[in-house]
Amino acid sequence: MGKGMYTHGAVGQGTIVFGATYTYITWLTESMDVNITNSQPGDTWVVTCPVDATSVFDYRLVTLDTQNVNVSGSTYSRLLTGGEPCKPEVSILGPELFATAAAANWCPLLQNVGLDGLFDLIGQAAGFRGPPYAFNDSPNALSDVLGLTAALVSSRLNSTLQLPVNGTAYVMAARVGSGNKFALVFALPSLVCCCILAYLLSTSRMLRSIHHTSSSLVDILKLGRMSTI
C-alpha cells in the first residue's frame, strides 16, 4: 500500500492519494464501504481525496452550558452548542490555520512507510463502520476519519493573538422565596413557634434548679410518687 498527500493550488489545498494491491485492497475498500466481489488478484486500487481547508472555517455564536441536565455525571456536564455565523472584529482565519488543517493527517499517512505501507491506524478507525458519521457531508468512513483528524488537530492550534469577543453571560442561581416582600408573612408562624420554643427551653432550665441523685430503687419510687401528688 502506498499513501501520501500532494499539495497544489493555494495554501491549505492538496490531494491525499491511497494506492493498494492484492490483499491490501480489502483494507482500502472496507474503509469506504465498497463491495470488492469483482476484484481480481493483482488488481490495483487508487483512491484520491481532495483537500481544501480554505473554505471550511467560519465564526459562529456558541452557547456554553456548564451544567447540562441531559447528561449524567460531572465529567461530561458541559455542553457547547453552535449557533448562527458571526464576524469578529479581528479574524485569525489565515494561511497558518489552513495549512495546519490540510497537513493534519501527515502522521497517519506516514505509518509503515518503508515496510508494507499499511494504513493500520486509519483502517482500524474507518473499517467496517457505516453512518452516522461525525460530519453530515462525509461520503464514507475514510473521508470522515480524515476530516475528524483535521478538526482535532486544528482545535489544538494555539494563537498568541488576543481577540476581543462580544458576548453575553447568563448566570442561573437558586433563591429562597419569590422575592415578594409580602411572602414574609408566611414565615411569621414559623418565627412565632421558634420564639415560643426558645422561651420554654430557657424557663424549663431555670425551674430545674434542684437535682436528685440516688442509686437506690426505693428513692426512685418515692420520687415518682411525690411528682404525681
Side-chain angles (χ1 to χ4, degrees):
M1 176 179 283
K3 54 194 182 305
M5 178 176 177
Y6 305 91
T7 59
H8 57 78
V11 176
Q13 295 179 336
T15 301
I16 296 178
V17 180
F18 297 94
T21 185
Y22 289 97
T23 57
Y24 293 92
I25 295 177
T26 305
W27 285 78
L28 185 58
T29 54
E30 284 178 350
S31 66
M32 302 179 63
D33 194 20
V34 177
N35 192 348
I36 59 170
T37 56
N38 297 327
S39 64
Q40 302 294 328
D43 288 351
T44 300
W45 285 54
V46 177
V47 176
T48 59
C49 302
V51 178
D52 187 1
T54 60
S55 59
V56 296
F57 294 98
D58 62 359
Y59 285 96
R60 289 184 178 271
L61 295 174
V62 296
T63 303
L64 174 61
D65 294 325
T66 57
Q67 292 295 330
N68 182 17
V69 296
N70 297 322
V71 180
S72 60
S74 59
T75 304
Y76 302 101
S77 62
R78 295 169 180 82
L79 177 64
L80 186 66
T81 306
E84 297 296 326
C86 63
K87 186 176 181 180
E89 298 178 2
V90 180
S91 175
I92 61 170
L93 300 182
E96 298 83 4
L97 181 60
F98 301 153
T100 301
N105 287 280
W106 69 270
C107 188
L109 294 176
L110 286 178
Q111 187 179 20
N112 294 321
V113 170
L115 299 176
D116 58 354
L118 179 64
F119 66 164
D120 184 66
L121 180 61
I122 298 176
Q124 293 288 347
F128 303 103
R129 185 165 67 90
Y133 300 121
F135 301 102
N136 295 329
D137 56 349
S138 294
N140 49 60
L142 177 60
S143 174
D144 197 59
V145 169
L146 297 177
L148 276 174
T149 304
L152 291 172
V153 172
S154 302
S155 66
R156 301 299 299 173
L157 180 65
N158 294 324
S159 175
T160 57
L161 182 61
Q162 301 295 326
L163 297 179
V165 178
N166 296 325
T168 304
Y170 296 95
V171 180
M172 298 182 63
R175 61 175 300 165
V176 178
S178 61
N180 192 345
K181 293 182 179 179
F182 182 77
L184 295 175
V185 176
F186 297 97
L188 291 178
S190 299
L191 293 176
V192 172
C193 292
C194 291
C195 295
I196 294 174
L197 290 175
Y199 172 76
L200 293 176
L201 289 174
S202 60
T203 54
S204 62
R205 290 195 176 189
M206 295 175 60
L207 293 175
R208 283 187 262 169
S209 58
I210 302 175
H211 300 278
H212 303 276
T213 303
S214 177
S215 59
S216 174
L217 182 59
V218 177
D219 294 339
I220 296 176
L221 293 175
K222 289 181 179 180
L223 178 62
R225 292 174 183 173
M226 293 175 61
S227 60
T228 58
I229 298 176

